[in-house]
Each structure stands twice: as structure tokens, then as C-alpha cells.
Amino acid sequence: MPRQTQEQLTAEIVAVAGRLFGARGYGATSVQQIADAMGYSKAAVLYHFPSKDALLAAVLTEAAGAIAEIADSADRSQAVERYVDLALTRSELGVLLDLSGAHAEFRVLAEAGMRLREFLRADDGPEAGVRVDMALWGVIFTARTTGADHDTVRAAMVRAAADLLGIDGIEV
């Protein structure tokens, strides 16, 4: 099997750390646990990220990039589908979003979330903001708590979020 490049290894560390932060919480996840989950030494992980906070910053930056890409979608219905897919495949998003201001690096994720929120708003009224918040947080909560078939849940989540956002014509 070919050896991983440094870039691939860094991406794997970020992905594993994100999953563990999502499953156990940031405070309850150690660098050693991340290394163990990968089959590497703690020193190997720390070679790429000098601290757990640096690793969190990388996880937040990567998640922010994924959300920012969704905010740049061609249309709102496409954004809803992509956000549901992201929530279903990235269980750590709820935990990361719940960190609020606990870490300075959170701002990159908060800024990406605000871009997506503004993109999905139908108008400037207060109800539109409530609908967007309920749709986005509802997707995150449902993705973290559901145990049903992925395809069935995905279709229901897309339809429910689209209904809240007043988006017609989504075919799932």
C-alpha cells in the first residue's frame, strides 16, 4: 500500500479528531485518544499539530470551509441538500457549533454559519431568521440523534428544512 503524503495524513488527523470531538466532546478527547484511533503515536500527531487547541483550530477551519462552500451554492434548494448531507456525514458539527465562544478559532465557523444563514433567508423579516435558525439547528440535532436509514432520514430532513425555509420544488 502506498505511503500517505503529509497532506493526506494531516487531513486524516483532522477528520479523526473531528469525529472524536463529536462523539466524546472536545474536553473529553485527548491527543493520545486521537493518536490511538489512528494507530499512530501521540508524538506523530503532535508533529503535525503542536497542541490540542491547534488541532481544534484545524477542525474548525475545515468545517467552516465546508459550510462556506454550501453558502456559495447556486441556489437555496441545493444549499439545503448539501447542508443535510454535511450534517449526516459530520456528526461533530453540533459539538463544534455548541462550543460558541469558548475558543478564539470558533469565529471562522461562526462566520461561515452566518454566511449560510443569510444565504438561506427568504427576506429580512424576523420570522425568516427564526425559520432559518430552526431549519439549520434542526438538521444538526436530527443528524446527531437519528438511528434510521440514512436515505430515508435524508429525504425527510431535506423536505422539512425546505418547508421551514419556504423553498418549493425540491425533489428528493
Side-chain angles (χ1 to χ4, degrees):
M1 179 152 97
R3 191 176 153 135
Q4 282 185 312
T5 65
Q6 293 295 320
E7 186 175 285
Q8 290 169 325
L9 180 56
T10 299
E12 181 185 1
I13 293 168
V14 170
V16 170
R19 281 194 303 274
L20 291 177
F21 292 160
R24 299 177 179 164
Y26 174 75
T29 302
S30 69
V31 175
Q32 184 63 58
Q33 290 168 327
I34 294 165
D36 291 346
M38 297 180 62
Y40 286 97
S41 69
K42 181 178 175 180
V45 173
L46 290 173
Y47 173 80
H48 292 275
F49 298 95
S51 67
K52 189 168 104 171
D53 280 345
L55 188 48
L56 175 64
V59 171
L60 289 169
T61 299
E62 196 280 328
I67 291 173
E69 282 182 26
I70 295 169
D72 293 336
S73 296
D75 61 50
R76 292 170 70 231
S77 57
Q78 180 186 54
V80 168
E81 290 191 63
R82 291 178 65 198
Y83 185 74
V84 167
D85 289 338
L86 181 66
L88 286 169
T89 57
R90 301 282 303 276
S91 64
E92 74 271 15
L93 285 180
V95 171
L96 295 176
L97 290 168
D98 271 346
L99 287 173
S100 15
H103 297 274
E105 295 85 3
F106 175 77
R107 79 178 176 287
V108 297
L109 187 57
E111 289 167 3
M114 289 305 295
R115 280 184 55 203
L116 180 59
R117 186 177 187 274
E118 291 308 310
F119 177 73
L120 291 174
R121 283 180 71 110
D123 59 53
D124 289 333
E127 187 174 312
V130 170
R131 288 177 173 275
V132 170
D133 289 344
M134 289 179 70
L136 294 178
W137 282 104
V139 165
I140 292 292
F141 178 79
T142 304
R144 286 186 56 84
T145 60
T146 189
D149 173 58
H150 176 87
D151 292 333
T152 303
V153 170
R154 180 192 184 277
M157 289 170 66
V158 167
R159 281 192 301 274
D163 285 349
L164 270 171
L165 297 168
I167 300 172
D168 297 323
I170 288 187
E171 298 293 324
V172 185

